[in-house]
Amino acid sequence: MGNQCASDHAELSAHVAGNRNIAQVLLSPRVTGSVSPRNRFFGSSKRAGDGDSFASSDYLGSVGDGMCAGSVDRGKRPWILEVLLYSVVMNFVARCGVVGMKKIGDRKFVRQSLLCVLLVLATLLVLVKITSVAWISFQSEQSFTHDTFLKPVGDSSLKLLLTENSQLLATTVKSSNLREVDYFSKALNDNHLSNDLWSKPDSKHFFHCIDRPRHYKPPRERPNGYLVVNANGGLNQMRTGICDMVAIARIMNAVLVIPTLDHSSFWDDPSEFKDIFDVHHFVDTLKKDVHIIDSLPASLKNVESLKKAPVSWSKASFYKDEMLPLLKQHKVLYFTHTDARLANNDLPDSIQKLRCRANYQALKFTKPIERLSQTLLSRIRDKSPYIALHLRYEKDMLAFTGCTHGLSSEEGDELRQMRINVEHWKEKDIDGEERRIQGSCPLTPHETGLFLKALGYPSSTKIFIVAGKLYGNGSLESLQKHFPNVYTHLSLATEEELEPLKDYQNRLAGLDYIMALESDVFVYTYDGNMAKAVQGHRRFEGFRKTISPDRQILVRLIDEYESGSISWEIFQQQVTEIHAHRTGAPASRQPGEFPKTEEYFYANPFPGCICEKKQLSRRVLKGNS
């Protein structure tokens, strides 16, 4: 070992003293050997025996002592810096050390001096470059000691680290009242982000087009009356209904009163508009479109309003021809329902764009909801992306659809009784298995786990569930069997952070909405109101990756795989092929024979609020011709 070090030192000294190029010194195989400069910086795992240090007492020899004895640690200067500093001095002396022998007027001396200055500057640039690389590398190593703490759902979880060689390093971390450390390396993060699993569909030719046209007229000073509305349903159903009411107020030249929210639905949430959405932002954003006020003027508070439930999926002509005369006559119209009261298609472009301005610009969540969402995003996004999973496996949804696959007979009876007790649910006797085969049931947590695994997502993938409490004994565990790192707002936030929202389901739904919107991948297992609202918003925000499983085909494949009819390889291949183009890529909204069979406007605002550059250029060319 000592002879090898002495040989290395002699060669390094010869390189520097002989004024060889710095790169030759640093990259010489005799200098670096099998240990990279980065590893020398952090210290070698091999240490020389006693008496193996260099005998030389010069400066370079002292550097060599650290290199050979393995004594250079993280607290000392890297050996690269010392060699470079020494090289700078030696090069300077070699080029400029004979200054005393030259005359100022000597042209050869001037040229050599200029060359000397350039050499010093170039050397310093190399020094800065290598120093920055070494420092970044050091910081990368240090960052592993500062992992963000996460608390997955459940008592324990398996943390998986995927290396570049596809090796899995697993460690089980027991959780108590403390959050658990999520062991995702930077290498895993880079692997995720560069992988097709996380990349969004190509949408470079598409852009927002919801700005008001040049000659757009502001709302008239003398309105035809006042529109009072009660938004019904859950948060996302109310959200889209409110956007429609903004458009309808514009159509009828009516003043819109801030909507009241549904307090009698399944969620039983007493929250008002101002508790969920930023009222001032809402009014200010739409002031050039519609007059919006907090409440009716005092002169009209005692006037009896005309209550109406507008016909679903109505076109603009319905409101102009039938509702407008009633508004002018009674001065105040009260709409008892707001959901799906405006058609998906065949509306003026200005109305479609207004619906989107209301939805994607005006309806902004309150600061408490926004702040907490940013906190949760920073925690779950530490070092790796995440999937937001809209797993509609909640009690009310299962009771409504009659889907009981994977549940016990007692749980099925409980759901059946709930369906009977809810009077406005028309269907009472439902064959759940038949519905499942038809693709009309939400995927179970177990089926969802198999689906994501077949798509290629590693078991270390983080999943944030944007839904209510999962129904059924062992439902959550059946998902965690495939993906241990499962989170909800309850597991990511502290009790203190959730305190202002915990008793209000619609506010918590707003929190989940943001987590779904901002996720790297959004997966929904059933076409509910949230799934439609979020996927439309993600399309508007640049076609962020959104996976929609083909439930009818998928459940058939799952049954074949679990019965042993097909292998895992065949199952995975078919699942991947079927869903290769179900990722939320740009596609025109699909028409239908009836409004209910059409693709929902808020699930896909293209065309209307999203435009294609190619289309625009074709129109320009056609107009010029």
Side-chain angles (χ1 to χ4, degrees), residues 92 95-96 112-123:
F92 189 90
R95 296 285 182 182
C96 310
Q112 191 170 12
S113 298
L114 291 174
L115 180 62
C116 175
V117 171
L118 292 174
L119 179 62
V120 170
L121 291 175
T123 304

Side-chain angles (χ1 to χ4, degrees), residues 103-117:
K103 295 183 179 179
I104 299 299
D106 192 339
R107 292 184 178 180
K108 184 177 181 181
F109 165 70
V110 172
R111 288 196 300 271
Q112 191 170 12
S113 298
L114 291 174
L115 180 62
C116 175
V117 171

Side-chain angles (χ1 to χ4, degrees), residues 437 439 550-558 574 578-579:
I437 294 172
D550 188 323
R551 293 187 299 274
Q552 186 172 10
I553 297 178
L554 186 59
V555 296
R556 176 179 58 80
L557 290 174
I558 289 174
Q574 293 194 26
I578 291 167
H579 295 89

Side-chain angles (χ1 to χ4, degrees), residues 339-350:
D339 60 313
R341 305 296 152 166
L342 202 54
N344 294 311
N345 304 301
D346 299 323
L347 292 172
D349 287 345
S350 61

Side-chain angles (χ1 to χ4, degrees), residues 132-153:
S132 63
V133 171
W135 176 251
I136 292 172
S137 178
F138 174 71
Q139 289 296 97
S140 177
E141 292 282 344
Q142 286 291 89
S143 67
F144 287 110
T145 63
H146 300 288
D147 290 301
T148 299
F149 290 99
L150 298 175
K151 182 174 62 176
V153 178

Side-chain angles (χ1 to χ4, degrees), residues 97-253:
V98 292
V99 172
M101 300 174 62
K102 301 292 181 181
K103 295 183 179 179
I104 299 299
D106 192 339
R107 292 184 178 180
K108 184 177 181 181
F109 165 70
V110 172
R111 288 196 300 271
Q112 191 170 12
S113 298
L114 291 174
L115 180 62
C116 175
V117 171
L118 292 174
L119 179 62
V120 170
L121 291 175
T123 304
L124 289 175
L125 287 174
V126 174
L127 173 63
V128 171
K129 177 68 175 179
I130 297 179
T131 304
S132 63
V133 171
W135 176 251
I136 292 172
S137 178
F138 174 71
Q139 289 296 97
S140 177
E141 292 282 344
Q142 286 291 89
S143 67
F144 287 110
T145 63
H146 300 288
D147 290 301
T148 299
F149 290 99
L150 298 175
K151 182 174 62 176
V153 178
D155 293 332
S156 65
S157 64
L158 184 66
K159 305 298 182 178
L160 297 171
L161 174 62
L162 181 64
T163 65
E164 292 182 358
N165 296 323
S166 299
Q167 297 172 334
L168 292 177
L169 305 176
T171 178
T172 300
V173 183
K174 298 292 182 179
S175 66
S176 55
N177 293 328
L178 297 177
R179 295 178 184 168
E180 300 177 15
V181 179
D182 194 10
Y183 295 94
F184 281 92
S185 69
K186 183 178 184 297
L188 175 58
N189 184 33
D190 294 341
N191 179 65
H192 272 317
L193 293 177
S194 62
N195 198 299
D196 288 341
L197 292 173
W198 303 98
S199 59
K200 72 174 189 175
D202 181 20
S203 60
K204 60 185 177 183
H205 297 298
F206 296 85
F207 62 98
H208 299 167
C209 51
I210 63 172
D211 292 341
R212 300 175 185 88
R214 183 178 300 176
H215 302 295
Y216 188 77
K217 295 181 180 179
R220 300 173 191 171
E221 291 298 327
R222 299 186 63 180
N224 293 320
Y226 295 82
L227 182 60
V228 180
V229 300
N230 176 63
N232 62 296
L235 174 67
N236 296 289
Q237 188 173 338
M238 291 191 292
R239 179 189 183 105
T240 54
I242 290 169
C243 297
D244 282 351
M245 294 301 110
V246 170
I248 291 168
R250 171 80 184 186
I251 292 171
M252 298 194 301
N253 185 33

Side-chain angles (χ1 to χ4, degrees), residues 37-64:
R38 180 178 173 276
N39 289 336
R40 291 187 186 277
F41 171 62
F42 290 120
S44 174
S45 59
K46 296 181 180 180
R47 292 183 178 271
D50 295 339
D52 281 344
S53 61
F54 290 134
S56 176
S57 60
D58 62 12
Y59 177 74
L60 188 57
S62 65
V63 176

Side-chain angles (χ1 to χ4, degrees), residues 395-577:
K395 186 176 181 179
D396 64 311
M397 177 55 65
L398 296 177
F400 176 75
T401 58
C403 300
T404 58
H405 184 78
L407 299 175
S408 66
S409 57
E410 291 80 8
E411 290 167 341
D413 291 339
E414 184 180 9
L415 295 177
R416 191 176 303 107
Q417 189 60 46
M418 180 180 180
R419 186 165 61 253
I420 293 172
N421 293 338
V422 179
E423 294 181 2
H424 61 272
W425 288 354
K426 297 179 181 179
E427 289 187 273
K428 303 299 181 181
D429 296 323
I430 301 174
D431 187 338
E433 283 303 316
E434 182 181 352
R435 282 209 165 179
R436 176 178 176 269
I437 294 172
Q438 294 171 349
S440 300
C441 284
L443 295 180
T444 69
H446 170 64
E447 291 168 343
T448 304
L450 285 175
F451 171 59
L452 294 175
K453 184 178 178 182
L455 289 179
Y457 289 98
S459 56
S460 56
T461 300
K462 288 182 285 192
I463 296 176
F464 186 91
I465 296 179
V466 287
K469 183 179 179 181
L470 301 186
Y471 183 75
N473 185 31
S475 292
L476 177 62
E477 289 75 10
S478 65
L479 175 61
Q480 288 180 309
K481 179 178 67 175
H482 303 287
F483 296 92
N485 299 311
V486 177
Y487 306 92
T488 67
H489 55 246
L490 294 174
S491 64
L492 274 184
T494 65
E495 291 184 7
E496 293 77 14
E497 289 170 336
L498 278 177
E499 183 64 30
L501 309 179
K502 70 176 184 178
D503 295 327
Y504 307 97
Q505 291 302 312
N506 285 329
R507 301 184 204 183
L508 290 173
L511 183 64
D512 282 348
Y513 184 96
I514 297 174
M515 298 298 290
L517 176 64
E518 298 297 332
S519 64
D520 300 279
V521 174
F522 176 59
V523 180
Y524 61 93
T525 62
Y526 195 72
D527 300 312
N529 290 308
M530 182 176 189
K532 292 175 181 177
V534 171
Q535 66 174 297
H537 204 155
R538 288 174 68 87
R539 280 186 165 115
F540 183 78
E541 293 296 340
F543 295 92
R544 298 174 181 176
K545 190 165 189 175
T546 302
I547 300 175
S548 57
D550 188 323
R551 293 187 299 274
Q552 186 172 10
I553 297 178
L554 186 59
V555 296
R556 176 179 58 80
L557 290 174
I558 289 174
D559 289 345
E560 290 178 358
Y561 165 66
E562 295 197 320
S563 67
S565 300
I566 60 175
S567 65
W568 171 258
E569 289 73 19
I570 294 176
F571 172 75
Q572 186 175 32
Q573 179 185 359
Q574 293 194 26
V575 169
T576 304
E577 289 177 354

